[in-house]
Amino acid sequence: MEETEEIIVGRDGVLNLSWGWFLSSTYGVSIILLVFLMFEYNIKSITAIQICCLIFGFTYMVGLGGAVADFSFFGSFRIITVFSFISLLGTLMLTVLHATSAKHQFGVVLVAITLALLGSESVINSYRFLRRDQFDEPPAAMGFRITHFISDKCFAVATLVPFIILEAEYQDWGFLFGICCAYNVIGLFWFLIGSSVYRPQTWADKSFKDKDELHEVKYLIKTTPLFLTDIFLHTSSILFNYLIVLQALTMNRRIGPFVIPASCFGLFSIPTVFLSLVTVDFLIIPRYNKLRISLGIGLSHVLTILTLVASALIESRRLHRLADNPGSTMSALWLIIPAAVLGFKFGFDFKGHRRAFCRKRRLEGITSVVMRTFLVGMGYFVSIIIIQSLVQFTHWLPHNINDGRLDYVYWMLAAIGCLNFVFHLVFTKSFQFPTFKYYAGDDRDDDEAS
């Protein structure tokens, strides 16, 4: 038994290392994409945001098909291998073709961006499946998520530190994409190194019963109105992560001799994600023996609204200061506040939504990956609709936000968020979650605990 546990830990350790490098590559392309389109191709800011949303929306929807194919037919190992090469091809094309003025070549650059992100998203989804397959029993909830958060997110951010410094000082896009390409190669190398000890599974290896699957499908259909409210949660986060970049570009980002890249302010949410996970796992759950999942999801709604309100207040102050003293700049460090609040939201969002997607523990990982991918993809498409509506019918969101009222945009999103939260409460009240509870020390369902 001890030998088996050591092998499983070894498998998981190699997977964490490999996944960390892939996340570094994905984060690298993602965080510079908006600024890259604006400064390299002189695309106006709002149009660049819509292009980014379109690329990511398409990526997530195609990645959803990859997730289904992974679990149903091909298995995680094959999917990760194929799509890691696709991601590598995309980053390699970006490294070589990033600077071009020809329209048809710019189309090739957009294809390269899509390939890089599509490959990365499919790889990340498949890693979730493959990681799950390494364990005979689900790991204990207490501390497990925090360990994986440190190994995944913190490792990825740490490897991006030189990347971020280079973006701030030089904006050498070819070199930056080259770093992403190198991270992709390292991730693929570590993944293949550990291939001899992985325990990949396919649909034929699963012990799920048809009636269980049918019950879960019926359950998801029944709770569709509740999950539709999640789309705006993702939409709010997506719009915030793009609009905060536009705010940062108009503010003072200098700390001594160092300039914080505008595209990196969203990363300030990561420390509070870690803090919220520690709070949930080690303070809230042990103190309250049973804590309903619906409460965690509700808190994610509230914290998203608070993020938008904080952003609106900061932008309103920035505009008033600019009106009173043209040419003055406000410190961009104020933007850390809404980013930190949004980070707290994810601590409750991760566990709450993961458990709310299904009732059977053995199907939890499958439905959570599929539903998360679908809802995030829809969030990007809804973001495009909201932005286009604002551009079409208001003057709040011009390409130069100094001439608009971005604070009104945030207030509008917060108001919609409040209405969305009311719908969430109504649906939650009319639908019972008899098996969805946090437990101190483990993560059992009510029927398993009884």
mmCIF file of all heavy atoms in Angstrom, residues 14-30 80-81 83-88 91 116 119-121 123-124 127 152 155-156 159-160 180-192:
data_model
loop_
_atom_site.group_PDB
_atom_site.id
_atom_site.type_symbol
_atom_site.label_atom_id
_atom_site.label_comp_id
_atom_site.label_asym_id
_atom_site.label_seq_id
_atom_site.Cartn_x
_atom_site.Cartn_y
_atom_site.Cartn_z
ATOM 1 N N VAL A 14 4.927 14.933 -10.918
ATOM 2 C CA VAL A 14 5.368 15.196 -12.289
ATOM 3 C C VAL A 14 4.295 15.943 -13.062
ATOM 4 O O VAL A 14 4.579 16.867 -13.831
ATOM 5 C CB VAL A 14 5.735 13.873 -13.003
ATOM 6 C CG1 VAL A 14 6.095 14.134 -14.458
ATOM 7 C CG2 VAL A 14 6.889 13.189 -12.295
ATOM 8 N N LEU A 15 3.039 15.557 -12.847
ATOM 9 C CA LEU A 15 1.940 16.243 -13.524
ATOM 10 C C LEU A 15 1.870 17.709 -13.115
ATOM 11 O O LEU A 15 1.658 18.586 -13.947
ATOM 12 C CB LEU A 15 0.612 15.547 -13.204
ATOM 13 C CG LEU A 15 0.318 14.249 -13.944
ATOM 14 C CD1 LEU A 15 -0.968 13.622 -13.420
ATOM 15 C CD2 LEU A 15 0.196 14.502 -15.440
ATOM 16 N N ASN A 16 2.050 17.992 -11.812
ATOM 17 C CA ASN A 16 2.020 19.373 -11.343
ATOM 18 C C ASN A 16 3.105 20.205 -12.002
ATOM 19 O O ASN A 16 2.877 21.347 -12.412
ATOM 20 C CB ASN A 16 2.195 19.416 -9.818
ATOM 21 C CG ASN A 16 0.978 18.907 -9.085
ATOM 22 O OD1 ASN A 16 -0.091 18.800 -9.664
ATOM 23 N ND2 ASN A 16 1.142 18.578 -7.821
ATOM 24 N N LEU A 17 4.306 19.647 -12.094
ATOM 25 C CA LEU A 17 5.418 20.369 -12.693
ATOM 26 C C LEU A 17 5.153 20.650 -14.166
ATOM 27 O O LEU A 17 5.357 21.764 -14.653
ATOM 28 C CB LEU A 17 6.708 19.565 -12.526
ATOM 29 C CG LEU A 17 7.997 20.232 -13.029
ATOM 30 C CD1 LEU A 17 8.218 21.557 -12.315
ATOM 31 C CD2 LEU A 17 9.185 19.303 -12.831
ATOM 32 N N SER A 18 4.692 19.627 -14.877
ATOM 33 C CA SER A 18 4.394 19.794 -16.294
ATOM 34 C C SER A 18 3.281 20.808 -16.505
ATOM 35 O O SER A 18 3.364 21.697 -17.360
ATOM 36 C CB SER A 18 4.007 18.442 -16.899
ATOM 37 O OG SER A 18 3.651 18.583 -18.251
ATOM 38 N N TRP A 19 2.212 20.677 -15.715
ATOM 39 C CA TRP A 19 1.071 21.579 -15.842
ATOM 40 C C TRP A 19 1.477 23.015 -15.520
ATOM 41 O O TRP A 19 1.006 23.971 -16.152
ATOM 42 C CB TRP A 19 -0.043 21.115 -14.912
ATOM 43 C CG TRP A 19 -1.367 21.751 -15.188
ATOM 44 C CD1 TRP A 19 -1.727 22.491 -16.278
ATOM 45 C CD2 TRP A 19 -2.522 21.709 -14.358
ATOM 46 N NE1 TRP A 19 -3.030 22.892 -16.195
ATOM 47 C CE2 TRP A 19 -3.545 22.431 -15.021
ATOM 48 C CE3 TRP A 19 -2.807 21.128 -13.130
ATOM 49 C CZ2 TRP A 19 -4.815 22.585 -14.477
ATOM 50 C CZ3 TRP A 19 -4.073 21.283 -12.604
ATOM 51 C CH2 TRP A 19 -5.060 21.997 -13.263
ATOM 52 N N GLY A 20 2.375 23.186 -14.542
ATOM 53 C CA GLY A 20 2.824 24.524 -14.197
ATOM 54 C C GLY A 20 3.482 25.236 -15.371
ATOM 55 O O GLY A 20 3.239 26.425 -15.607
ATOM 56 N N TRP A 21 4.300 24.517 -16.125
ATOM 57 C CA TRP A 21 4.946 25.138 -17.285
ATOM 58 C C TRP A 21 3.932 25.462 -18.383
ATOM 59 O O TRP A 21 4.040 26.503 -19.049
ATOM 60 C CB TRP A 21 6.026 24.208 -17.842
ATOM 61 C CG TRP A 21 7.253 24.159 -16.994
ATOM 62 C CD1 TRP A 21 7.689 23.129 -16.212
ATOM 63 C CD2 TRP A 21 8.219 25.202 -16.827
ATOM 64 N NE1 TRP A 21 8.851 23.455 -15.563
ATOM 65 C CE2 TRP A 21 9.214 24.731 -15.922
ATOM 66 C CE3 TRP A 21 8.350 26.486 -17.337
ATOM 67 C CZ2 TRP A 21 10.298 25.499 -15.540
ATOM 68 C CZ3 TRP A 21 9.448 27.262 -16.956
ATOM 69 C CH2 TRP A 21 10.397 26.757 -16.080
ATOM 70 N N PHE A 22 2.947 24.579 -18.589
ATOM 71 C CA PHE A 22 1.903 24.885 -19.576
ATOM 72 C C PHE A 22 1.097 26.107 -19.156
ATOM 73 O O PHE A 22 0.715 26.936 -19.996
ATOM 74 C CB PHE A 22 0.974 23.683 -19.767
ATOM 75 C CG PHE A 22 1.482 22.683 -20.757
ATOM 76 C CD1 PHE A 22 1.826 21.399 -20.370
ATOM 77 C CD2 PHE A 22 1.623 23.008 -22.097
ATOM 78 C CE1 PHE A 22 2.308 20.474 -21.281
ATOM 79 C CE2 PHE A 22 2.099 22.099 -23.025
ATOM 80 C CZ PHE A 22 2.443 20.824 -22.615
ATOM 81 N N LEU A 23 0.795 26.222 -17.847
ATOM 82 C CA LEU A 23 0.087 27.401 -17.367
ATOM 83 C C LEU A 23 0.912 28.668 -17.589
ATOM 84 O O LEU A 23 0.361 29.721 -17.937
ATOM 85 C CB LEU A 23 -0.227 27.252 -15.877
ATOM 86 C CG LEU A 23 -1.400 26.344 -15.491
ATOM 87 C CD1 LEU A 23 -1.496 26.234 -13.977
ATOM 88 C CD2 LEU A 23 -2.701 26.862 -16.064
ATOM 89 N N SER A 24 2.218 28.568 -17.416
ATOM 90 C CA SER A 24 3.089 29.721 -17.661
ATOM 91 C C SER A 24 2.971 30.182 -19.105
ATOM 92 O O SER A 24 2.875 31.382 -19.382
ATOM 93 C CB SER A 24 4.543 29.366 -17.337
ATOM 94 O OG SER A 24 4.694 28.986 -15.990
ATOM 95 N N SER A 25 2.983 29.227 -20.022
ATOM 96 C CA SER A 25 2.847 29.560 -21.438
ATOM 97 C C SER A 25 1.493 30.193 -21.727
ATOM 98 O O SER A 25 1.396 31.203 -22.435
ATOM 99 C CB SER A 25 3.035 28.299 -22.290
ATOM 100 O OG SER A 25 2.819 28.574 -23.652
ATOM 101 N N THR A 26 0.443 29.613 -21.158
ATOM 102 C CA THR A 26 -0.910 30.132 -21.385
ATOM 103 C C THR A 26 -1.061 31.530 -20.809
ATOM 104 O O THR A 26 -1.590 32.439 -21.473
ATOM 105 C CB THR A 26 -1.947 29.198 -20.740
ATOM 106 O OG1 THR A 26 -1.761 27.879 -21.238
ATOM 107 C CG2 THR A 26 -3.360 29.666 -21.057
ATOM 108 N N TYR A 27 -0.622 31.724 -19.558
ATOM 109 C CA TYR A 27 -0.710 33.039 -18.937
ATOM 110 C C TYR A 27 0.084 34.074 -19.729
ATOM 111 O O TYR A 27 -0.357 35.223 -19.887
ATOM 112 C CB TYR A 27 -0.176 32.982 -17.502
ATOM 113 C CG TYR A 27 -1.085 32.325 -16.508
ATOM 114 C CD1 TYR A 27 -0.684 32.127 -15.195
ATOM 115 C CD2 TYR A 27 -2.355 31.890 -16.865
ATOM 116 C CE1 TYR A 27 -1.519 31.517 -14.269
ATOM 117 C CE2 TYR A 27 -3.192 31.281 -15.951
ATOM 118 C CZ TYR A 27 -2.765 31.092 -14.654
ATOM 119 O OH TYR A 27 -3.584 30.491 -13.740
ATOM 120 N N GLY A 28 1.253 33.656 -20.207
ATOM 121 C CA GLY A 28 2.086 34.599 -20.948
ATOM 122 C C GLY A 28 1.390 35.149 -22.177
ATOM 123 O O GLY A 28 1.361 36.362 -22.410
ATOM 124 N N VAL A 29 0.798 34.259 -22.982
ATOM 125 C CA VAL A 29 0.083 34.707 -24.183
ATOM 126 C C VAL A 29 -1.147 35.515 -23.796
ATOM 127 O O VAL A 29 -1.465 36.543 -24.408
ATOM 128 C CB VAL A 29 -0.324 33.505 -25.054
ATOM 129 C CG1 VAL A 29 -1.157 33.960 -26.254
ATOM 130 C CG2 VAL A 29 0.919 32.760 -25.540
ATOM 131 N N SER A 30 -1.857 35.073 -22.749
ATOM 132 C CA SER A 30 -3.121 35.707 -22.369
ATOM 133 C C SER A 30 -2.930 37.126 -21.862
ATOM 134 O O SER A 30 -3.662 38.039 -22.257
ATOM 135 C CB SER A 30 -3.833 34.875 -21.295
ATOM 136 O OG SER A 30 -4.109 33.569 -21.757
ATOM 137 N N ILE A 80 -3.540 15.463 -24.514
ATOM 138 C CA ILE A 80 -2.490 16.379 -24.059
ATOM 139 C C ILE A 80 -1.333 16.399 -25.054
ATOM 140 O O ILE A 80 -0.801 17.474 -25.383
ATOM 141 C CB ILE A 80 -1.994 15.968 -22.657
ATOM 142 C CG1 ILE A 80 -3.089 16.208 -21.623
ATOM 143 C CG2 ILE A 80 -0.729 16.744 -22.285
ATOM 144 C CD1 ILE A 80 -2.735 15.726 -20.236
ATOM 145 N N THR A 81 -0.940 15.245 -25.542
ATOM 146 C CA THR A 81 0.178 15.182 -26.481
ATOM 147 C C THR A 81 -0.132 15.947 -27.761
ATOM 148 O O THR A 81 0.665 16.775 -28.227
ATOM 149 C CB THR A 81 0.508 13.716 -26.823
ATOM 150 O OG1 THR A 81 0.803 12.997 -25.618
ATOM 151 C CG2 THR A 81 1.716 13.646 -27.745
ATOM 152 N N PHE A 83 -2.587 18.278 -28.420
ATOM 153 C CA PHE A 83 -2.873 19.706 -28.279
ATOM 154 C C PHE A 83 -1.672 20.481 -27.747
ATOM 155 O O PHE A 83 -1.585 21.698 -27.960
ATOM 156 C CB PHE A 83 -4.099 19.915 -27.389
ATOM 157 C CG PHE A 83 -5.391 19.732 -28.126
ATOM 158 C CD1 PHE A 83 -6.060 18.523 -28.097
ATOM 159 C CD2 PHE A 83 -5.935 20.770 -28.865
ATOM 160 C CE1 PHE A 83 -7.251 18.345 -28.786
ATOM 161 C CE2 PHE A 83 -7.122 20.611 -29.550
ATOM 162 C CZ PHE A 83 -7.787 19.389 -29.519
ATOM 163 N N SER A 84 -0.746 19.822 -27.066
ATOM 164 C CA SER A 84 0.466 20.535 -26.666
ATOM 165 C C SER A 84 1.305 20.885 -27.892
ATOM 166 O O SER A 84 1.926 21.956 -27.943
ATOM 167 C CB SER A 84 1.277 19.696 -25.676
ATOM 168 O OG SER A 84 1.677 18.462 -26.260
ATOM 169 N N PHE A 85 1.309 20.018 -28.885
ATOM 170 C CA PHE A 85 1.996 20.338 -30.130
ATOM 171 C C PHE A 85 1.268 21.448 -30.891
ATOM 172 O O PHE A 85 1.906 22.290 -31.536
ATOM 173 C CB PHE A 85 2.128 19.091 -31.010
ATOM 174 C CG PHE A 85 3.290 18.210 -30.647
ATOM 175 C CD1 PHE A 85 3.095 17.008 -29.997
ATOM 176 C CD2 PHE A 85 4.587 18.591 -30.954
ATOM 177 C CE1 PHE A 85 4.167 16.201 -29.650
ATOM 178 C CE2 PHE A 85 5.671 17.798 -30.618
ATOM 179 C CZ PHE A 85 5.456 16.588 -29.955
ATOM 180 N N ILE A 86 -0.065 21.453 -30.822
ATOM 181 C CA ILE A 86 -0.823 22.536 -31.449
ATOM 182 C C ILE A 86 -0.503 23.864 -30.779
ATOM 183 O O ILE A 86 -0.284 24.892 -31.448
ATOM 184 C CB ILE A 86 -2.331 22.236 -31.378
ATOM 185 C CG1 ILE A 86 -2.686 21.045 -32.267
ATOM 186 C CG2 ILE A 86 -3.151 23.467 -31.789
ATOM 187 C CD1 ILE A 86 -4.132 20.609 -32.183
ATOM 188 N N SER A 87 -0.471 23.874 -29.440
ATOM 189 C CA SER A 87 -0.113 25.085 -28.711
ATOM 190 C C SER A 87 1.313 25.524 -29.039
ATOM 191 O O SER A 87 1.585 26.718 -29.221
ATOM 192 C CB SER A 87 -0.252 24.837 -27.204
ATOM 193 O OG SER A 87 0.132 25.963 -26.467
ATOM 194 N N LEU A 88 2.225 24.559 -29.127
ATOM 195 C CA LEU A 88 3.609 24.864 -29.478
ATOM 196 C C LEU A 88 3.698 25.476 -30.871
ATOM 197 O O LEU A 88 4.431 26.444 -31.092
ATOM 198 C CB LEU A 88 4.458 23.594 -29.402
ATOM 199 C CG LEU A 88 5.930 23.718 -29.793
ATOM 200 C CD1 LEU A 88 6.637 24.736 -28.910
ATOM 201 C CD2 LEU A 88 6.615 22.357 -29.705
ATOM 202 N N THR A 91 2.484 29.189 -30.611
ATOM 203 C CA THR A 91 3.458 30.104 -30.014
ATOM 204 C C THR A 91 4.683 30.280 -30.901
ATOM 205 O O THR A 91 5.269 31.366 -30.959
ATOM 206 C CB THR A 91 3.892 29.593 -28.629
ATOM 207 O OG1 THR A 91 4.346 28.230 -28.729
ATOM 208 C CG2 THR A 91 2.752 29.659 -27.637
ATOM 209 N N ALA A 116 -2.467 28.743 -30.278
ATOM 210 C CA ALA A 116 -1.738 28.713 -29.013
ATOM 211 C C ALA A 116 -2.691 28.581 -27.834
ATOM 212 O O ALA A 116 -2.478 27.768 -26.931
ATOM 213 C CB ALA A 116 -0.886 29.976 -28.875
ATOM 214 N N GLY A 119 -4.832 25.152 -27.989
ATOM 215 C CA GLY A 119 -4.031 24.030 -27.524
ATOM 216 C C GLY A 119 -3.857 24.054 -26.024
ATOM 217 O O GLY A 119 -3.999 23.030 -25.341
ATOM 218 N N SER A 120 -3.598 25.242 -25.470
ATOM 219 C CA SER A 120 -3.383 25.352 -24.031
ATOM 220 C C SER A 120 -4.637 25.000 -23.248
ATOM 221 O O SER A 120 -4.578 24.284 -22.243
ATOM 222 C CB SER A 120 -2.928 26.773 -23.683
ATOM 223 O OG SER A 120 -1.710 27.087 -24.323
ATOM 224 N N GLU A 121 -5.793 25.509 -23.671
ATOM 225 C CA GLU A 121 -7.033 25.242 -22.938
ATOM 226 C C GLU A 121 -7.373 23.760 -22.971
ATOM 227 O O GLU A 121 -7.788 23.181 -21.959
ATOM 228 C CB GLU A 121 -8.176 26.058 -23.546
ATOM 229 C CG GLU A 121 -9.529 25.827 -22.894
ATOM 230 C CD GLU A 121 -9.522 26.162 -21.414
ATOM 231 O OE1 GLU A 121 -8.720 27.015 -20.987
ATOM 232 O OE2 GLU A 121 -10.334 25.557 -20.682
ATOM 233 N N VAL A 123 -5.260 21.306 -23.314
ATOM 234 C CA VAL A 123 -4.263 20.633 -22.470
ATOM 235 C C VAL A 123 -4.626 20.772 -21.003
ATOM 236 O O VAL A 123 -4.583 19.802 -20.235
ATOM 237 C CB VAL A 123 -2.861 21.212 -22.743
ATOM 238 C CG1 VAL A 123 -1.888 20.817 -21.636
ATOM 239 C CG2 VAL A 123 -2.339 20.711 -24.084
ATOM 240 N N ILE A 124 -5.010 21.980 -20.587
ATOM 241 C CA ILE A 124 -5.348 22.214 -19.182
ATOM 242 C C ILE A 124 -6.553 21.383 -18.764
ATOM 243 O O ILE A 124 -6.578 20.781 -17.681
ATOM 244 C CB ILE A 124 -5.589 23.719 -18.948
ATOM 245 C CG1 ILE A 124 -4.261 24.482 -19.060
ATOM 246 C CG2 ILE A 124 -6.228 23.966 -17.581
ATOM 247 C CD1 ILE A 124 -4.415 25.981 -19.043
ATOM 248 N N TYR A 127 -5.467 17.818 -18.400
ATOM 249 C CA TYR A 127 -4.673 17.617 -17.189
ATOM 250 C C TYR A 127 -5.579 17.370 -15.988
ATOM 251 O O TYR A 127 -5.252 16.578 -15.104
ATOM 252 C CB TYR A 127 -3.782 18.832 -16.933
ATOM 253 C CG TYR A 127 -2.368 18.656 -17.416
ATOM 254 C CD1 TYR A 127 -1.897 19.333 -18.534
ATOM 255 C CD2 TYR A 127 -1.498 17.804 -16.760
ATOM 256 C CE1 TYR A 127 -0.604 19.175 -18.986
ATOM 257 C CE2 TYR A 127 -0.200 17.642 -17.194
ATOM 258 C CZ TYR A 127 0.242 18.326 -18.312
ATOM 259 O OH TYR A 127 1.516 18.155 -18.754
ATOM 260 N N ASP A 152 0.570 25.036 -8.862
ATOM 261 C CA ASP A 152 0.146 25.424 -10.205
ATOM 262 C C ASP A 152 0.276 26.929 -10.432
ATOM 263 O O ASP A 152 1.109 27.391 -11.205
ATOM 264 C CB ASP A 152 -1.312 25.002 -10.446
ATOM 265 C CG ASP A 152 -1.498 23.506 -10.368
ATOM 266 O OD1 ASP A 152 -0.490 22.779 -10.484
ATOM 267 O OD2 ASP A 152 -2.637 23.063 -10.185
ATOM 268 N N PHE A 155 3.631 28.751 -9.124
ATOM 269 C CA PHE A 155 4.751 28.374 -9.986
ATOM 270 C C PHE A 155 4.657 29.121 -11.312
ATOM 271 O O PHE A 155 5.659 29.646 -11.816
ATOM 272 C CB PHE A 155 4.734 26.865 -10.225
ATOM 273 C CG PHE A 155 5.798 26.401 -11.187
ATOM 274 C CD1 PHE A 155 7.091 26.191 -10.765
ATOM 275 C CD2 PHE A 155 5.493 26.190 -12.526
ATOM 276 C CE1 PHE A 155 8.078 25.772 -11.646
ATOM 277 C CE2 PHE A 155 6.460 25.774 -13.416
ATOM 278 C CZ PHE A 155 7.752 25.565 -12.974
ATOM 279 N N ALA A 156 3.445 29.175 -11.874
ATOM 280 C CA ALA A 156 3.274 29.856 -13.155
ATOM 281 C C ALA A 156 3.610 31.338 -13.049
ATOM 282 O O ALA A 156 4.286 31.903 -13.915
ATOM 283 C CB ALA A 156 1.841 29.671 -13.654
ATOM 284 N N THR A 159 7.436 31.906 -12.727
ATOM 285 C CA THR A 159 8.165 31.790 -13.987
ATOM 286 C C THR A 159 7.894 32.971 -14.912
ATOM 287 O O THR A 159 8.656 33.210 -15.857
ATOM 288 C CB THR A 159 7.783 30.489 -14.710
ATOM 289 O OG1 THR A 159 6.367 30.440 -14.905
ATOM 290 C CG2 THR A 159 8.216 29.273 -13.928
ATOM 291 N N LEU A 160 6.811 33.721 -14.640
ATOM 292 C CA LEU A 160 6.481 34.861 -15.495
ATOM 293 C C LEU A 160 7.094 36.168 -15.000
ATOM 294 O O LEU A 160 6.915 37.195 -15.641
ATOM 295 C CB LEU A 160 4.957 35.019 -15.586
ATOM 296 C CG LEU A 160 4.238 34.014 -16.491
ATOM 297 C CD1 LEU A 160 2.732 34.201 -16.380
ATOM 298 C CD2 LEU A 160 4.681 34.157 -17.936
ATOM 299 N N CYS A 180 7.181 32.146 -24.095
ATOM 300 C CA CYS A 180 5.991 31.277 -23.999
ATOM 301 C C CYS A 180 6.221 29.967 -24.739
ATOM 302 O O CYS A 180 5.819 28.893 -24.274
ATOM 303 C CB CYS A 180 4.774 31.992 -24.572
ATOM 304 S SG CYS A 180 4.287 33.471 -23.677
ATOM 305 N N CYS A 181 6.869 30.065 -25.899
ATOM 306 C CA CYS A 181 7.180 28.864 -26.681
ATOM 307 C C CYS A 181 8.114 27.949 -25.894
ATOM 308 O O CYS A 181 7.924 26.722 -25.866
ATOM 309 C CB CYS A 181 7.812 29.278 -28.012
ATOM 310 S SG CYS A 181 8.113 27.917 -29.154
ATOM 311 N N ALA A 182 9.130 28.540 -25.246
ATOM 312 C CA ALA A 182 10.074 27.740 -24.450
ATOM 313 C C ALA A 182 9.363 27.065 -23.282
ATOM 314 O O ALA A 182 9.610 25.893 -22.979
ATOM 315 C CB ALA A 182 11.210 28.634 -23.941
ATOM 316 N N TYR A 183 8.461 27.777 -22.612
ATOM 317 C CA TYR A 183 7.692 27.183 -21.510
ATOM 318 C C TYR A 183 6.849 26.008 -21.993
ATOM 319 O O TYR A 183 6.698 24.998 -21.311
ATOM 320 C CB TYR A 183 6.795 28.237 -20.864
ATOM 321 C CG TYR A 183 7.533 29.260 -20.035
ATOM 322 C CD1 TYR A 183 6.900 30.427 -19.610
ATOM 323 C CD2 TYR A 183 8.857 29.084 -19.670
ATOM 324 C CE1 TYR A 183 7.558 31.371 -18.841
ATOM 325 C CE2 TYR A 183 9.529 30.017 -18.908
ATOM 326 C CZ TYR A 183 8.880 31.165 -18.506
ATOM 327 O OH TYR A 183 9.553 32.088 -17.746
ATOM 328 N N ASN A 184 6.305 26.155 -23.200
ATOM 329 C CA ASN A 184 5.512 25.071 -23.777
ATOM 330 C C ASN A 184 6.368 23.833 -24.013
ATOM 331 O O ASN A 184 5.953 22.697 -23.725
ATOM 332 C CB ASN A 184 4.893 25.550 -25.096
ATOM 333 C CG ASN A 184 3.670 24.763 -25.495
ATOM 334 O OD1 ASN A 184 3.686 23.542 -25.495
ATOM 335 N ND2 ASN A 184 2.609 25.460 -25.859
ATOM 336 N N VAL A 185 7.566 24.047 -24.520
ATOM 337 C CA VAL A 185 8.489 22.925 -24.768
ATOM 338 C C VAL A 185 8.864 22.236 -23.462
ATOM 339 O O VAL A 185 8.876 20.998 -23.374
ATOM 340 C CB VAL A 185 9.752 23.423 -25.501
ATOM 341 C CG1 VAL A 185 10.809 22.315 -25.561
ATOM 342 C CG2 VAL A 185 9.402 23.897 -26.908
ATOM 343 N N ILE A 186 9.151 23.029 -22.424
ATOM 344 C CA ILE A 186 9.524 22.454 -21.129
ATOM 345 C C ILE A 186 8.360 21.648 -20.547
ATOM 346 O O ILE A 186 8.549 20.540 -20.018
ATOM 347 C CB ILE A 186 9.957 23.560 -20.149
ATOM 348 C CG1 ILE A 186 11.219 24.254 -20.664
ATOM 349 C CG2 ILE A 186 10.212 22.982 -18.758
ATOM 350 C CD1 ILE A 186 11.614 25.477 -19.864
ATOM 351 N N GLY A 187 7.131 22.185 -20.644
ATOM 352 C CA GLY A 187 5.970 21.463 -20.144
ATOM 353 C C GLY A 187 5.761 20.149 -20.865
ATOM 354 O O GLY A 187 5.481 19.117 -20.243
ATOM 355 N N LEU A 188 5.907 20.163 -22.188
ATOM 356 C CA LEU A 188 5.759 18.936 -22.971
ATOM 357 C C LEU A 188 6.859 17.936 -22.627
ATOM 358 O O LEU A 188 6.607 16.724 -22.524
ATOM 359 C CB LEU A 188 5.808 19.266 -24.469
ATOM 360 C CG LEU A 188 5.719 18.083 -25.438
ATOM 361 C CD1 LEU A 188 4.421 17.306 -25.226
ATOM 362 C CD2 LEU A 188 5.823 18.571 -26.875
ATOM 363 N N PHE A 189 8.077 18.444 -22.408
ATOM 364 C CA PHE A 189 9.188 17.568 -22.049
ATOM 365 C C PHE A 189 8.900 16.836 -20.736
ATOM 366 O O PHE A 189 9.048 15.611 -20.643
ATOM 367 C CB PHE A 189 10.476 18.401 -21.934
ATOM 368 C CG PHE A 189 11.632 17.647 -21.347
ATOM 369 C CD1 PHE A 189 12.359 16.755 -22.118
ATOM 370 C CD2 PHE A 189 11.998 17.843 -20.011
ATOM 371 C CE1 PHE A 189 13.433 16.058 -21.579
ATOM 372 C CE2 PHE A 189 13.069 17.164 -19.469
ATOM 373 C CZ PHE A 189 13.786 16.257 -20.251
ATOM 374 N N TRP A 190 8.481 17.568 -19.705
ATOM 375 C CA TRP A 190 8.205 16.945 -18.414
ATOM 376 C C TRP A 190 7.015 16.000 -18.484
ATOM 377 O O TRP A 190 6.981 14.967 -17.812
ATOM 378 C CB TRP A 190 7.960 18.020 -17.351
ATOM 379 C CG TRP A 190 9.237 18.562 -16.792
ATOM 380 C CD1 TRP A 190 9.772 19.795 -16.998
ATOM 381 C CD2 TRP A 190 10.148 17.869 -15.936
ATOM 382 N NE1 TRP A 190 10.964 19.923 -16.334
ATOM 383 C CE2 TRP A 190 11.221 18.745 -15.657
ATOM 384 C CE3 TRP A 190 10.172 16.592 -15.367
ATOM 385 C CZ2 TRP A 190 12.294 18.404 -14.856
ATOM 386 C CZ3 TRP A 190 11.238 16.243 -14.555
ATOM 387 C CH2 TRP A 190 12.273 17.135 -14.305
ATOM 388 N N PHE A 191 6.047 16.345 -19.318
ATOM 389 C CA PHE A 191 4.893 15.455 -19.464
ATOM 390 C C PHE A 191 5.315 14.120 -20.076
ATOM 391 O O PHE A 191 4.913 13.054 -19.602
ATOM 392 C CB PHE A 191 3.828 16.124 -20.338
ATOM 393 C CG PHE A 191 2.688 15.216 -20.698
ATOM 394 C CD1 PHE A 191 1.759 14.841 -19.739
ATOM 395 C CD2 PHE A 191 2.556 14.731 -21.993
ATOM 396 C CE1 PHE A 191 0.702 13.999 -20.067
ATOM 397 C CE2 PHE A 191 1.516 13.889 -22.328
ATOM 398 C CZ PHE A 191 0.589 13.523 -21.359
ATOM 399 N N LEU A 192 6.119 14.171 -21.123
ATOM 400 C CA LEU A 192 6.559 12.938 -21.774
ATOM 401 C C LEU A 192 7.513 12.147 -20.887
ATOM 402 O O LEU A 192 7.530 10.921 -20.929
ATOM 403 C CB LEU A 192 7.221 13.269 -23.115
ATOM 404 C CG LEU A 192 6.301 13.891 -24.174
ATOM 405 C CD1 LEU A 192 7.081 14.235 -25.434
ATOM 406 C CD2 LEU A 192 5.149 12.948 -24.504
#
